[in-house]
């Protein structure tokens, strides 16, 4: 059964890509490459610059995810530059390859163990980063659905009819905000860890929780901003609508397990933007893929090669040293664990 499960998710992702591309092909019938090129050329240079700035905001917030997790673990002494490069490489690879938990854990393990972290600490770091992203999605999704519940009507034909009903959307939004509120209360009141079978979720300190509530929405706002600035100003439905559609498209892409959400993201986004020419929406999505996925992916490969080359060269020269130990995180289960005690922590790096 374990071997079977290893093949199920890749097969589901492949099926999602095939079906989505087939449906997308029907959506885009009549468009030509020349149409797309004309739409890309019509985007003003300053809008490209704003889209690039939004990309920097998104990846800067993703680097903050790692920094927040290190604060939670009580680890000090790792430079912002190292954390930023590690985070950038992790997300650039996982966004394109898919299986973000696996690829994220692998890259972070190679990087952070070189700075003295244990495998258990890296596992906690990966789990907290994933939870931070989920927290931001719930927070922004809850706000959007509560304030503008009719936005889900744009996904009619993709979602079941009951989900596109404004009353249902507002209830769902309130539920998402309720989960976030419970997490905040648990952190402030230092409640006991929530245990579900072998999974344990320990509430972090309030200063860590507050950082999570800022960093995660900031990353999503930056990512959505790439598409918003790439869309034409005439007929642009506004940032709130773009954000709502982006959250739905990105969530669908993640759920599909398709590599990079290929086809799934485009299908949902174009379908949910009927008030704009399809060629303009397609051009904006292509800009998003270029700025947020493809260019970072190419840069991440270079970073990984340079990192591994450096470690190999050090090993060959016989100068590889065993990094100093970092106090082990109090891990007694596979979930996110409590913060370390307040005793001094040896610097690493």
């Amino acid at each position: 059964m374990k071997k079977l499960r290893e093949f199920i998710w890749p097969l589901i992702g492949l099926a999602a890509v095939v079906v989505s591309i087939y449906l997308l092909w029907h959506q885009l019938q009549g468009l030509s490459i020349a149409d797309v090129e004309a739409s890309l050329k019509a985007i003003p240079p300053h809008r490209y610059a704003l889209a690039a700035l939004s990309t920097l905001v998104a990846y800067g917030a993703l680097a903050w995810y790692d920094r927040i997790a290190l604060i939670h673990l009580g680890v000090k002494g790792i430079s912002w530059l190292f954390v930023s490069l590690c985070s950038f490489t992790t997300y650039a690879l996982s966004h394109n390859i898919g299986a973000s938990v696996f690829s994220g854990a692998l890259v972070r393990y190679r990087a952070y163990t070189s700075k003295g972290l244990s495998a258990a600490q890296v596992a906690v770091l990966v789990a907290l980063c994933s939870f931070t992203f989920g927290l931001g999605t719930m927070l922004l999704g809850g706000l959007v659905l509560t304030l503008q519940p009719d936005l889900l009507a744009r996904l009619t034909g993709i979602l079941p009819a009951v989900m596109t009903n404004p009353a249902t959307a507002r209830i769902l939004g309130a539920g998402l905000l309720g989960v976030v509120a419970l997490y905040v209360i648990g952190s402030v009141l230092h409640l006991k860890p929530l245990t579900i079978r072998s999974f344990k979720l320990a509430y972090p300190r309030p200063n860590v929780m507050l950082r999570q509530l800022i960093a995660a929405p900031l990353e999503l706002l930056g990512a959505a901003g790439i598409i918003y600035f790439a869309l034409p100003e005439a007929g642009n439905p506004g940032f709130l609508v773009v954000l709502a559609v982006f959250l739905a498209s990105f969530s669908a892409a993640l759920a599909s397990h398709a590599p990079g959400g290929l086809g799934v993201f485009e299908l949902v986004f174009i379908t949910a933007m009927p008030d704009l020419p399809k060629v303009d929406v397609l051009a904006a999505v292509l800009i998003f893929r270029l700025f947020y996925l493809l260019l970072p992916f190419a840069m991440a490969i270079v970073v990984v090669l340079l990192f591994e080359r450096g470690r190999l060269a050090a090993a060959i020269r016989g100068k590889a040293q065993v990094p100093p130990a970092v106090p082990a995180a109090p891990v007694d289960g596979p979930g996110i664990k409590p913060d370390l005690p307040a005793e001094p922590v040896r610097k690493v790096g």
Side-chain angles (χ1 to χ4, degrees):
M1 288 298 295
K2 184 177 180 180
K3 291 183 177 180
L4 181 62
R5 287 197 297 268
E6 291 176 355
F7 289 98
I8 287 178
W9 291 120
L11 288 175
I12 291 176
L14 179 61
V17 170
V18 172
V19 172
S20 298
I21 290 179
Y22 173 77
L23 296 174
L24 191 61
W25 179 77
H26 280 279
Q27 281 265 19
L28 301 178
Q29 276 186 323
L31 297 183
S32 66
I33 296 178
D35 294 330
V36 178
E37 288 179 352
S39 183
L40 290 171
K41 291 178 180 178
I43 301 174
H46 76 278
R47 304 281 287 189
Y48 274 110
L50 289 171
L53 180 60
S54 296
T55 307
L56 294 178
V57 170
Y59 274 96
L62 288 173
W64 200 6
Y65 285 16
D66 282 48
R67 176 60 66 178
I68 291 169
L70 291 172
I71 292 173
H72 178 70
L73 287 169
V75 176
K76 298 179 181 179
I78 302 179
S79 70
W80 254 108
L81 178 60
F82 184 90
V83 172
S84 299
L85 285 175
C86 179
S87 173
F88 170 79
T89 305
T90 295
Y91 287 108
L93 293 175
S94 61
H95 285 161
N96 286 275
I97 297 172
S100 58
V101 173
F102 171 75
S103 53
L106 181 62
V107 174
R108 285 190 173 105
Y109 177 80
R110 289 288 294 164
Y112 286 119
T113 52
S114 73
K115 292 296 184 180
L117 271 69
S118 67
Q121 287 176 306
V122 175
V124 173
L125 185 146
V126 171
L128 188 62
C129 288
S130 298
F131 184 81
T132 300
F133 170 78
L135 190 68
T137 304
M138 288 188 288
L139 177 58
L140 285 183
L143 289 172
V144 168
L145 291 176
T146 303
L147 298 174
Q148 297 287 339
D150 57 325
L151 289 178
L152 279 184
R154 290 175 169 268
L155 299 177
T156 300
I158 297 179
L159 294 178
V162 65
M163 292 295 296
T164 57
N165 183 286
T168 305
R170 182 166 276 132
I171 293 173
L172 177 60
L176 292 174
L177 292 178
V179 173
V180 176
L182 289 175
Y183 180 71
V184 172
I185 293 171
S187 175
V188 172
L189 298 182
H190 304 287
L191 298 182
K192 293 181 178 179
L194 175 64
T195 303
I196 304 174
R197 294 184 181 180
S198 60
F199 178 84
K200 181 177 288 188
L201 171 64
Y203 298 98
R205 298 189 305 272
N207 67 324
V208 172
M209 176 268 296
L210 288 174
R211 286 179 170 91
Q212 287 179 289
L213 292 179
I214 298 173
L218 185 62
E219 188 271 325
L220 293 167
L221 291 172
I226 301 171
I227 297 183
Y228 171 75
F229 290 118
L231 288 171
E233 295 184 65
N236 194 312
F239 185 76
L240 187 61
V241 173
V242 174
L243 174 63
V245 176
F246 173 82
L247 291 174
S249 304
F250 204 74
S251 298
L254 289 176
S256 70
H257 290 271
L262 184 63
V264 180
F265 184 87
E266 288 83 357
L267 176 64
V268 176
F269 208 99
I270 292 173
T271 303
M273 286 288 183
D275 39 3
L276 282 173
K278 291 180 181 179
V279 66
D280 291 336
V281 180
L282 178 60
V285 172
L286 290 176
I287 293 298
F288 171 78
R289 281 206 172 273
L290 178 65
F291 283 19
Y292 191 76
L293 299 176
L294 298 180
L295 288 178
F297 183 59
M299 295 168 64
I301 292 176
V302 175
V303 172
V304 170
L305 290 176
L306 291 176
F307 176 78
E308 295 298 341
R309 178 190 175 190
R311 296 198 69 180
L312 179 61
I316 292 174
R317 291 194 305 266
K319 294 182 179 180
Q321 300 177 356
V322 178
V326 175
V331 288
D332 53 356
I336 301 171
K337 301 300 180 289
D339 305 287
L340 289 173
E343 63 260 17
V345 178
R346 214 184 320 169
K347 289 191 175 183
V348 298

